[in-house]
Amino acid sequence: MKRIVIGISGASGAILGIELLKAFQNLNDWETHLVISDTGEFTITEETSCTPEEVRSLADHVYSSDDLAAAISSGTFKTEGMVIVPCSMKTAAGIASGYSDNLLLRAADVTLKEGRKLILVARESPLSLIHLKNLELLAQCGAVILPPVVSFYTKPQTIQDIIDQIVGRVLNSLGIDSSLLKRWTPDE
Ligand SMILES: Cc1cc2nc3c(=O)[nH]c(=O)nc-3n(C[C@H](O)[C@H](O)[C@H](O)COP(=O)(O)O)c2cc1C
């Protein structure tokens, strides 16, 4: 089984993390390891019709954000990488500064130090220079900065269309083909 760590932080867009977990449930060869920050639990409750408990039930393994002794806290625990979706600017700042005072940050720190794939669905608007500098440093360190932006060229009709395209892009970045992603196919 391939392992993927999924972090849900307190940026707007909790539904994106939920839908990514659902997408992984359809992938038999992948195992999900979930950590939700305290504010992530709050945004799940505020923005969606799910409870944090229901979201946790979508994952194969769940960890408390204050459990710094969890498996995903160690580089010896092999994974294919980590997706933080959505990723707040506070979490981006924590990773960029190496300030790993919760499990979500520590798992991201480990992902980078082990040279594994780290995808940040970084969400804030507008972005300050501090946000941009942190994201620049993270990109220089190898993280994929994948903001949850709308692909207007796909002519989305519903919010679900927009969500599917973003989740499809995350999967694509992990090398996973998915029908969720509408690829650009110019007329010949
Ligand atoms: C409803 C709500 C929406 C938020 N949206 C964002 C956001 O889109 N981007 C962001 O960087 N912070 C956002 N925040 C602020 C973060 O939740 C806050 O900085 C928090 O400390 C992040 O902690 P975490 O990264 O550990 O989850 C939001 C907060 C709330 C309550």
Side-chain angles (χ1 to χ4, degrees):
M1 288 290 258
K2 289 181 267 190
R3 296 171 176 149
I4 186 75
V5 181
I6 296 179
I8 297 180
S9 75
S12 188
I15 190 66
L16 299 168
I18 294 170
E19 293 291 325
L20 183 66
L21 284 164
K22 288 182 183 171
F24 269 108
Q25 284 189 317
N26 296 324
L27 300 172
N28 295 330
D29 50 341
W30 286 82
E31 188 178 88
T32 52
H33 293 253
L34 174 67
V35 55
I36 306 174
S37 74
D38 292 346
T39 324
E41 296 203 4
F42 179 80
T43 49
I44 287 168
T45 307
E46 280 297 308
E47 295 184 345
T48 78
S49 55
C50 297
T51 63
E53 212 36 65
E54 286 168 337
V55 176
R56 277 190 274 270
S57 74
L58 299 171
D60 297 307
H61 300 271
V62 294
Y63 308 92
S64 166
S65 67
D66 58 8
D67 183 7
L68 285 158
I72 58 172
S73 196
S74 172
T76 58
F77 186 74
K78 275 189 77 176
T79 73
E80 301 301 314
M82 178 172 186
V83 183
I84 304 182
V85 51
C87 180
S88 76
M89 291 304 108
K90 179 238 174 183
T91 284
I95 306 166
S97 61
Y99 192 74
S100 304
D101 73 338
N102 65 39
L103 181 62
L104 199 159
L105 291 170
R106 171 63 186 167
D109 197 15
V110 164
T111 303
L112 282 184
K113 87 181 173 71
E114 297 297 331
R116 298 175 188 150
K117 190 141 204 171
L118 178 65
I119 300 173
L120 304 178
V121 182
R123 198 275 158 201
E124 186 51 281
S125 184
L127 291 160
S128 73
L129 186 58
I130 292 171
H131 301 150
L132 290 165
K133 288 284 182 192
N134 283 334
L135 294 174
E136 178 190 36
L137 177 57
L138 290 165
Q140 285 168 342
C141 293
V144 175
I145 312 300
L146 197 157
V149 296
V150 181
S151 300
F152 288 102
Y153 62 85
T154 62
K155 299 191 176 69
Q157 301 298 304
T158 65
I159 292 176
Q160 190 63 46
D161 290 344
I162 294 169
I163 293 168
D164 286 350
Q165 183 73 6
I166 294 165
V167 171
R169 273 188 189 275
V170 171
L171 294 172
N172 189 57
S173 187
L174 287 166
I176 301 170
D177 276 327
S178 160
S179 59
L180 294 174
L181 182 71
K182 283 191 184 166
R183 296 183 188 277
W184 172 245
T185 47
D187 295 334
E188 299 290 331

